[in-house]
Amino acid sequence: MFLVKDLRASRVNLMMNDYAAGLPSPLAFLGLADTLMRALGLEPWAAGCLPILHEVSVSDGRTKPEMEPNGAVFQPIETIEDMVGTVAVSLVLDLPGAEDEIAVARELVGRRIAGGTIANEMIRVLPIAGDGAALRQLPRGWAVMPARRAGRRVTSAGSQESLMRVAAALNPSERGPGFGWPVPVAVGYRLLEDPDRAPKRSGTRSRTVPHVFAEPLLGIAELVSVRSRAMTSMGETELRQALWRWHAAGDVLAGHENYHPHTALPTEDETSYGQEQD
């Protein structure tokens, strides 16, 4: 495992999907981790990632796209940005097969976080033992943790009924202690096409990954103080379970197995992180 300390990027897209905005999507960090795996020649889709947000400053994006002349008419040359911001974040990365922190740091140079280019002149990547003790060296921040309470592991693809379940979990009539502050986030996708049968399309990003249409999945994550004892005392197994990691089965691609409908849910007694806050 590696700890990447204090990455900074501006013009980061804070629109996660049709239902959630205000923070960078945890799926964007998972996409960055997968990009590193591919750049290092390692197995795709196997990376794990835990973002720790130190600062998120929201600024309104462009309300109109920039235009350029095309013959007798003008056409847009960029998409409209509804909400962007400046982000300072640290990352816990699990990159199976990666052993050289210098190579990881090199591959991070010039990469993007949700569309915003990483601006650090020097990127610090530290190999860590894989438990929560490594988090003690970080400045104050909030880990974006996958929800582990069964009552918060609800998802919605946009139906009114499922959206109401998410809203009820975000705003319960009574709030119990601990387990972090619940926030709505993008947690994955439900495929609208079979990847094996989808037609080949031009202009896609990858020649090997099929392009299929999908609808976004909304879920709940929990912001947990990185300084809390519940975080810094995590064991290796517990920290690995808290990492965002792609989990695909059937027609759902989820950013963590907790949000996948084919994954059994643990009871609340089987969870432990977030019970103590500083």
Side-chain angles (χ1 to χ4, degrees), residues 93-144:
L93 293 175
D94 180 21
L95 307 175
E99 299 179 353
D100 186 352
E101 66 273 19
I102 297 177
V104 174
R106 185 186 306 117
E107 291 298 339
L108 276 167
V109 174
R111 300 292 182 186
R112 294 176 179 268
I113 299 173
T117 304
I118 296 173
N120 300 57
E121 293 184 2
M122 178 180 298
I123 296 178
R124 293 178 293 171
V125 179
L126 303 175
I128 60 175
D131 56 28
L135 303 178
R136 295 171 183 165
Q137 56 188 298
L138 292 176
R140 289 185 178 275
W142 298 90
V144 185

Side-chain angles (χ1 to χ4, degrees), residues 236-247:
E236 183 176 351
T237 299
E238 193 177 7
L239 181 57
R240 287 184 180 276
Q241 290 176 343
L243 300 181
W244 295 84
R245 199 184 304 270
W246 291 118
H247 187 80

